[in-house]
Structure formats: C-alpha cells, structure tokens
Amino acid sequence: MNDMHLALHGVAIKKHAAATVVAGAVGLSEARADSLLKEAATGGRVVEAQGGYVLSPAGRMILDNQYSRFYGELRADQAFVAAYDRFERVNVELKQVITDWQTLDVGGQKVRNDHSNKDYDAGVLDRLGEVHERFEPILAQLIRGLPRLAVYRHKLESALEEAERGQVQWVSDAKIESYHTVWFEMHEDLLRVLGRAREE
Amino acid sequence: MAFELGPHTLAIDGSALPDKQLIGGKAWSIARMRALGLSVPPAFVVTARACTGFLESGAMPDGLADELARGIAWLEEASDCRFGGSGRPLLVSVRSGAAISMPGMMDTVLNLGITDATEAALAGATGDARFARDTHRRFLDLYARIVLKAVIPDLDEHATPADWRKVIEDAGGAPVPTDPRAQLLAAVQAVFESWNSRRARRYRQHHGIPDTLGTAVTVQAMVFGNLDEQSGTGVLFSRNPLTGERAPYGEYLARAQGEDVVSGRYTPLPLSALGAQMPAVHAELLTAAATLERENGDVQDIEFTVQAGKLFLLQTRSAKRAPAAAVRFAVDMVNEGSIDEATALSRVTAEQVRTLLSPRLAEGAAAAADCVAKGEAACQGVGVGIVVTNTDEAERRALAGEAIVLARATTSPDDVHGMIACRAVVTEQGGATSHAAVVSRALGVACVVGCGDGSVTALEGRLVTVDGASGCLYAGALPVVAPDENAEPSLAALTRWAEARAPLTVLADGGPDALDLTSVDGGEDIERLPALIAGHGCVRGGAIASDGGVRAALAAGVRVIVASPRLPVLLAALEATREQA
C-alpha cells in the first residue's frame, strides 16, 4: 500500500472533498493528505475546483489499475471475502429499510414519507438499529482484514445515534454523512478493494 | 379491573382499563377495544412490575410459571382451543409492550404453542397440512432468532421440524424446548431481558425515560383466517387514505392468513367481497371502524381476521395517508365537528401541501406524447431537460444553467454531485431500493429506475420529460402545470385557519422593503440564515420558505415572510410553535 494510492482512493470515494475530508476517509493525517493531493494535482491526477478534489481521467485510470496490486492479498483472504459476502446480504435489507424510511405504503400506493407519522418512523428506525447490530460483527471481521475500515464503524454509529435522537435527516440525507451516505461510501470502498462490480 | 390471575398477571377482559404504565401500550389498546365492546382475540398481560422484579433480582418472579398457566387456561376457555394438546390448537403471540414504545425491544414471537402434535391438529382443523408445517417452521425460525438469539441460516421449506431443530442446535443455539409452556416462560424472560438491550438503554438515556419502568409482555390468542370458507383476513381504512373520501376502503383475502397479504402470493379483493359473502361480518366491521375513528378522533387503519364467520380486530392505529387525503380528512373532520381547527392544522404538514402543489404534467399531455422509455417510478416529480450520460458533464452543464436529465446504467456515490444539479435522474438497472432511487428521494429529484439495458443512455442529447409519478420518459418538453392553492377550497380553509393562529404574517407577494435572500450569498443555506436575517422584519427568497428557514425566521423575530404558496409556510410556522411548546 502506498499513501498516494490511498489519497486517490479517498478522492474516488469522497468526490469534491477537501484534503481534510479525504484524510478522514482513508486514515491519512491531514497534512499528509494535503501534500499528496497537491502533488497529484501538479502531476495531473486530480483537479482542484472550489476547494475540493476530483480525479482526472488519467488519475482515475491509474487508480483503477492499482487496486488489484495493492489488494491482491486481501482478495485471497477467505475470512475477509466471506464477511464481504455477508455484508452484501445485509445490504439488501438495509436498502429496503432506507426505502421504507423514505416512502409510505398507503393502501397499496407509494407516497413520500414526510415523517409526520412518528409511530411509523419509530418502527423503521428500530429496524435500522437491528440491521446495524447484525452488521457489527461483519464489520469487525472486515476491519480485521483492513483496519482502515474502522472509520466507517464510528460514522455509522454516530449517524444512527443522531437519528435515534430525532434528527431524521441522519438516516438518508444525501448531502450529509447520513447512515445511507456512509453505508454507500463503504460499499463503494469495498467494491473497489475487491474489484467487484455493483449489482443493483 | 381486568381481573388478576396472580400478583404479576392480568387477564384483559375489558371490564376496566388498567394503568398503561403497568400493562404497556399494546395491552392497553386491546383492553380499550374490549371495553368498547369490540371483538378482539383474548389476551393476558404480564405486568411491567414483574419485569422490574426480574431486573432487580435477576430471577423470574416466584410463581410466574403458575400464573402463565392460569393465563393460558383463561385463553383456552375464551377461545375454545387447547394449548399444546390435541383438539383445536391454541397458538399465541408474545410481544413486548412498554408504556412508551422504544427501539431495541424484543420482536413479536408468533405461533407459540405449535409442536409436532399441534401441527397435526392444525393441519386437521384447517385441512391444509402445508400451512401447518409452514407455521411450525416460522415459529422455530422466530424462536431461534428472537428468544435463543441464534444466528441461523434460512430454514429449508421442504425439510422436517426435526431437521429444523437440528439446524438451530448446530448453529450454536440452545435446543428449542419441546414443551410449549417452557417456550412461553423463556419468551417472557427474553422480553424482560430486551429491556436492557444496548439500543433500548441508549434510547431511554436520550429521552430521559427511567430505566426502572420495565416492560410488560402481552400474550394473545392467535386467530386463523385460513380455517375454512368462512374465514379470511384484511385491512380496513375508515376513510379512503389516497383520496380522503369519506368512505371505507380496504382489502380482503378469503381463506388466508396475514402473511399471505404481505407475501403478495394472493391478489386481495375489495372489501365489498366480504360484504357479499358475509354481510353481517361486513356490517360489524364498518361499525367497529366508525367507533374506533370516533374514539380516537382520527382516521383508522384496522387489521382484522375473520375466523369461522367471527370477526376479530387485530390492531388499529392512525392511518397513514397520501397528501390529498391528509388535507381532506382534516377539513372534513372539522366540518363534521369531530376535531377542532388547531388539531386539523396539526395533521397536515407543510411537506404534504408542497407535494400537492408541486408541478405536474398538464391534464391530457401524457396521452398525446410518445413514451420513449419506461421504468419503475422511484421519486415523484416532473423533470424536463436534455439527456446527458456523463455525470461530470451533466453537473457542469446544469450548473451553467441548462436543464439536464442525468441518465446512467446505475449510479454510485461518484454521481451524487451530478444528481443534485439535475432536473431528473433515470437509470437502466435497479429497483425501488437502488442507490439512484434512495438518493433521488433524499434530494427530492424526479427519478425513474430500471428502464432496461441500453434504454435511457441511448437517449443522449435528446430533450425529454421525465414523469416520476408514472415512470415514463416522454419525448420533448410536455406542458407542466402547478396547482393553485387558492383554487382548492379545502386548502383555502386551512389557510384561513392557519392565518388566524400563525405567529407571523405570510404574503404571496409585495413587501418592497423585504430582504431578498435570493440575491444574498448563502441565502440558500439554512445554517447561515440566522446571521443573514438578524434584524430584518420582512424576508423573502432563498431558503426562507423551507421548514428550517421558517424556524430560523421565527427565532430571529421576523414578522413577515413573502412566499408563494403561502400555506406551507404557515403550517411550518405553526409546527415550529408547537415544537417549542
């Protein structure tokens, strides 16, 4: 593993993010991420715009070609891959829970959930908590294989706790690190690490 | 008093309403329905006091097993069924029930009481051996997961109960007791233990709920909608939850159990099918719905089962409703004299009115148009724009002011920035739970998913209209209209009532001296509003008309908001006032 790869990987996961955010996502120090991304910008691998970084087409190609090299050992780690397969099964449930959070079934028709029905919301949040608890041992196994994934544990927990406190936007708001935002970034991270394609 | 079976257990016979703290919300609701003379499957409850005792001492209260036996005997008598024996079998559900519902409590265990012997009896009673076997499987599955807390694989539908028990034991679970009375005691204890689950403790801590309250456990006889031709199951809304029309609305499945409705294996019939087959039951159901609506002061969503020609109400709650129905329920119930205006206003949200007033395809526009792709409707709304398949290009052009529709095979976190900027998002793969669907709904962007490989990316460069309600993409720009809040009498009534109570004035236009946030840097950012609007008495534009904007305006002492439509702003202001109270 090298730090430049991690920095580019962080930009792929956290598009348009500042160096501090990229650092937090992949476990680099802020100073290190900042200097690496400046170097990458000079080398034409990333482009800086409005304080955030995106990969250049060349940067993207270089990054995509590095995964198999850096994660070859992990891809052969049976415990890690088995944990990933369990994650994919939980992922199906999680997506359903998030969808149920966003939509109400009213007499067979789907309408937008405006969160005025507290009982309904409480039921869905309870299910989200259940899915989270079932995912915890799986994540622990993934972290044993790739320690930097621990960052997701903290982010998922804090999003869940915010939601349980009544801050409804922490379930699926796309503009903050809501439970779904973090879950999806983690999914993207795992897909890249393992060289898998997303299946919807 | 619901009569005592012992110091820790009450039979719910409807003779009086016990303390909700003691018996929990679920049992309280059953007791209340029985007190109203409605037909509910018989139930008894282990009180929260028994739970407190268990939590203090770590042991089940003395004599609880005997009390459970007396409770079961009472259910047997009331239902004319036998628990764990031959003859018509008594199966029960076991559920947690604190006075305040909270996450992390034990899920409901269903079909407790099924054994090899009772499975045979159930098969005989229903004439459906497959159902009896499946009931047995579902019980073992729930018991293993919930009570034994074992992580088990799915139980193979074609295997035998002995196989399933072995799978559970092999998966590290304790053996499932063969005696249903032992199962019941273990299930009750599991409910008590769930009071101290990590999530329940965290929730109580956040909400200042004492850890000493404890939870009650409700044990209720199960009824079977698949017993014979005079049986079935269904859902009834006391009014139409889609349109708001004052007419009962529901579905009925003859000869089916509740899970059949959920599974989608059967097509439900309209409620009139029940009326045609069993008019007396149908009439009783409608009377019960009217009673529950009147007693609860709101439209009800009622789950029911008919067992051998007898009606049982399983659950009632305030109905979920579409925006149009929310408005009509509220206004109609005021006109009928059943709720006051303030209550009506608390039942319609700003978001529901915004949805009702959001732009839609003009009447008849779709009929004449060419549908160039069709998928699953994932987020309502209409988006007109040029199809772009490269997310970065879509974002760039959208930010430059072009109307863009983003078309992708699938989306990933990499695409979110483009999705934020576009008028609509369409994908080729994935369904209602796909990333594109979830993110679009979170953003409120019109979205159609799963249009099929090659379907929408091939439209690159074309002008299309995406209808997120029907799931269709139409060629060209179809006419779009926004409903008028003043033209609709029920919205006008709500506006009048809201104006009389709102803590600030909302004008549709005017306010020449208003601060216009549209021309202020950061005016779209709720976080920055407090600093920007401080000291201004009248504000318009930017994010001021959103729920967060209205809250900020109230906090800053703004007296007038200029926005159209007005009703959502008024409702948001009333909501903010209620939150503070």
Side-chain angles (χ1 to χ4, degrees):
Chain A
M1 188 70 46
N2 74 28
D3 287 356
M4 179 56 90
H5 170 78
L6 271 182
L8 294 180
H9 175 67
V11 173
I13 301 288
K14 289 275 182 198
K15 200 177 180 187
H16 285 288
T20 53
V21 177
V22 172
V26 294
L28 290 170
S29 76
E30 292 184 8
R32 182 82 175 125
D34 189 56
S35 78
L36 286 165
L37 289 173
K38 286 205 168 91
E39 183 192 331
T42 312
R45 296 179 185 188
V46 298
V47 180
E48 190 182 0
Q50 294 153 358
Y53 289 95
V54 292
L55 291 171
S56 68
R60 182 173 296 276
M61 208 167 70
I62 291 165
L63 176 68
D64 288 349
N65 284 317
Q66 286 174 341
Y67 287 109
S68 58
R69 180 146 49 91
F70 288 125
Y71 293 107
E73 209 173 306
L74 201 58
R75 289 178 185 184
D77 176 343
Q78 285 185 1
F80 188 85
V81 173
Y84 169 79
D85 290 336
R86 291 209 301 282
F87 159 77
E88 282 290 350
R89 286 201 291 277
V90 176
N91 183 46
V92 174
E93 292 175 60
L94 186 276
K95 292 197 305 182
Q96 188 59 55
V97 170
I98 299 287
T99 300
D100 292 345
W101 174 256
Q102 295 177 321
T103 53
L104 286 179
D105 186 321
V106 176
Q109 212 176 88
K110 296 282 180 205
V111 302
R112 186 180 173 83
N113 181 11
D114 69 346
H115 304 297
S116 57
N117 189 326
K118 300 297 171 209
D119 287 348
Y120 178 82
D121 278 5
V124 182
L125 267 187
D126 195 14
R127 286 168 55 210
L128 179 64
E130 274 171 44
V131 169
H132 180 80
E133 283 182 356
R134 255 179 304 130
F135 176 58
E136 281 178 323
I138 300 171
L139 180 57
Q141 183 67 47
L142 292 169
I143 291 169
R144 272 195 284 281
L146 185 57
R148 71 170 174 80
L149 297 176
V151 66
Y152 294 114
R153 177 154 58 195
H154 170 69
K155 288 181 179 184
L156 290 171
E157 264 170 23
S158 58
L160 178 60
E161 288 185 23
E162 286 293 340
E164 284 177 349
R165 277 190 197 115
Q167 303 295 311
V168 296
Q169 70 273 26
W170 286 92
V171 177
S172 72
D173 194 317
K175 294 178 182 174
I176 57 176
E177 288 199 327
S178 65
Y179 199 92
H180 181 262
T181 300
V182 176
W183 183 275
F184 233 87
E185 287 175 359
M186 174 179 71
H187 192 184
E188 182 69 16
D189 199 338
L190 291 168
L191 289 169
R192 286 172 173 271
V193 162
L194 288 174
R196 307 276 184 108
R198 179 182 302 280
E199 285 173 25
E200 287 286 13
Chain B
M1 192 64 195
F3 72 89
E4 289 186 11
L5 296 156
H8 304 105
T9 315
L10 297 174
I12 303 172
D13 64 354
S15 57
L17 212 48
D19 180 11
K20 195 168 175 180
Q21 291 285 2
L22 188 65
I23 66 169
K26 178 70 193 169
W28 190 84
S29 163
I30 295 171
R32 186 145 169 279
M33 285 203 272
R34 292 205 73 154
L36 289 169
L38 303 174
S39 171
V40 182
F44 69 90
V45 59
V46 182
T47 66
R49 221 165 25 224
C51 177
T52 312
F54 171 79
L55 296 171
E56 279 168 7
S57 69
M60 293 293 265
D62 284 342
L64 187 59
D66 291 339
E67 289 187 54
L68 291 177
R70 282 198 287 281
I72 288 293
W74 185 67
L75 296 185
E76 286 181 329
E77 192 189 317
S79 65
D80 195 23
C81 292
R82 294 288 159 266
F83 189 66
S86 53
R88 248 175 72 183
L90 169 67
L91 304 187
V92 298
S93 63
V94 181
R95 64 188 89 217
S96 63
I100 306 158
S101 69
M102 63 188 72
M105 299 295 294
M106 194 188 88
D107 280 343
T108 304
V109 176
L110 298 171
N111 300 311
L112 193 144
I114 194 150
T115 60
D116 290 345
T118 54
E119 182 197 312
L122 186 65
T126 58
D128 188 345
R130 203 193 70 151
F131 165 74
R133 177 55 57 92
D134 197 48
T135 301
H136 202 160
R137 182 183 61 81
R138 281 184 282 112
F139 165 69
L140 288 173
D141 178 76
L142 281 180
Y143 190 90
R145 290 176 201 275
I146 296 174
V147 181
L148 301 179
K149 298 175 188 72
V151 179
I152 55 164
D154 290 340
L155 299 176
D156 176 10
E157 286 182 32
H158 305 291
T160 66
D163 297 334
W164 295 327
R165 286 170 177 274
K166 181 149 189 331
V167 168
I168 292 166
E169 227 180 309
D170 289 349
V176 179
T178 46
D179 175 7
R181 288 164 205 273
Q183 294 167 358
L184 179 59
L185 191 63
V188 170
Q189 181 167 335
V191 173
F192 290 168
E193 285 166 352
S194 73
W195 175 258
N196 271 334
S197 76
R198 190 161 50 124
R199 229 160 356 117
R201 273 184 288 142
R202 193 165 69 203
Y203 185 86
R204 290 198 295 273
Q205 202 180 349
H206 291 330
H207 292 83
I209 301 165
D211 280 334
T212 49
L213 286 182
T215 177
V217 187
T218 305
V219 181
Q220 188 171 30
M222 294 187 60
V223 287
F224 292 92
N226 55 352
L227 200 61
D228 55 26
E229 292 307 321
Q230 303 288 305
S231 302
T233 189
V235 177
L236 171 73
F237 291 86
S238 56
R239 304 184 188 208
N240 187 312
L242 292 166
T243 64
E245 189 192 352
R246 193 182 182 185
Y249 175 93
E251 291 178 337
Y252 180 69
L253 263 182
R255 212 165 179 173
Q257 251 319 59
E259 49 272 20
D260 296 327
V261 182
V262 181
S263 76
R265 262 191 297 165
Y266 299 82
T267 308
L269 302 168
L271 210 61
S272 53
L274 174 63
Q277 196 201 353
M278 289 179 270
V281 169
H282 184 249
E284 184 188 351
L285 179 62
L286 295 192
T287 307
T291 303
L292 287 168
E293 181 182 297
R294 190 178 62 242
E295 288 294 322
N296 294 323
D298 197 4
V299 176
Q300 299 291 297
D301 162 355
I302 301 158
E303 290 173 23
F304 67 92
T305 283
V306 183
Q307 176 178 279
K310 181 167 169 49
L311 174 70
F312 290 97
L313 307 179
L314 305 183
Q315 183 170 31
T316 185
R317 55 195 162 195
S318 284
K320 291 180 272 180
R321 57 203 67 183
V327 168
R328 185 152 171 202
F329 288 169
V331 175
D332 282 359
M333 289 183 82
V334 169
N335 293 337
E336 292 157 18
S338 46
I339 59 172
D340 60 23
E341 293 172 5
T343 304
L345 290 166
S346 73
R347 294 209 182 136
V348 181
T349 63
E351 181 66 26
Q352 283 167 332
V353 175
R354 284 189 203 106
T355 304
L356 275 179
L357 296 175
S358 64
R360 61 206 56 208
L361 291 183
E363 192 112 357
D370 180 16
C371 180
V372 289
K374 187 159 173 42
E376 189 171 349
C379 182
Q380 288 190 11
V382 178
V384 182
I386 302 288
V387 175
V388 175
T389 55
N390 179 293
T391 306
D392 291 338
E393 181 194 340
E395 185 186 8
R396 196 172 59 247
R397 288 172 62 178
L399 292 178
E402 253 187 289
I404 298 296
V405 170
L406 177 65
R408 304 279 298 165
T410 63
T411 65
S412 75
D414 203 28
D415 299 313
V416 173
H417 280 267
M419 297 168 76
I420 291 172
C422 290
R423 300 292 174 93
V425 174
V426 294
T427 68
E428 298 182 342
Q429 295 158 22
T433 67
S434 65
H435 177 260
V438 169
V439 172
S440 296
R441 284 191 295 260
L443 296 172
V445 174
C447 179
V448 176
V449 296
C451 296
D453 290 340
S455 58
V456 294
T457 48
L459 301 172
E460 171 99 51
R462 286 180 65 181
L463 178 65
V464 299
T465 300
V466 179
D467 182 9
S470 70
C472 260
L473 274 70
Y474 299 101
L478 302 193
V480 172
V481 293
D484 175 6
E485 64 175 333
N486 301 309
E488 163 57 44
S490 47
L491 292 179
L494 286 172
T495 305
R496 220 165 42 241
W497 301 338
E499 272 188 299
R501 291 169 178 79
L504 46 68
T505 303
V506 184
L507 301 174
D509 47 35
D513 55 347
L515 166 71
D516 190 348
L517 288 172
T518 310
S519 53
V520 176
D521 183 39
E524 293 287 348
D525 185 350
I526 304 277
E527 305 284 317
R528 293 181 59 187
L529 288 195
L532 297 174
I533 62 178
H536 290 270
C538 180
V539 181
R540 67 191 304 158
I544 201 71
S546 67
D547 290 359
V550 173
R551 266 196 297 274
L554 284 174
V558 169
R559 290 181 309 279
V560 181
I561 290 177
V562 183
S564 181
R566 296 160 65 221
L567 183 54
V569 178
L570 289 164
L571 291 173
L574 288 170
E575 164 79 22
T577 313
R578 280 195 302 274
E579 275 170 12
Q580 282 163 12

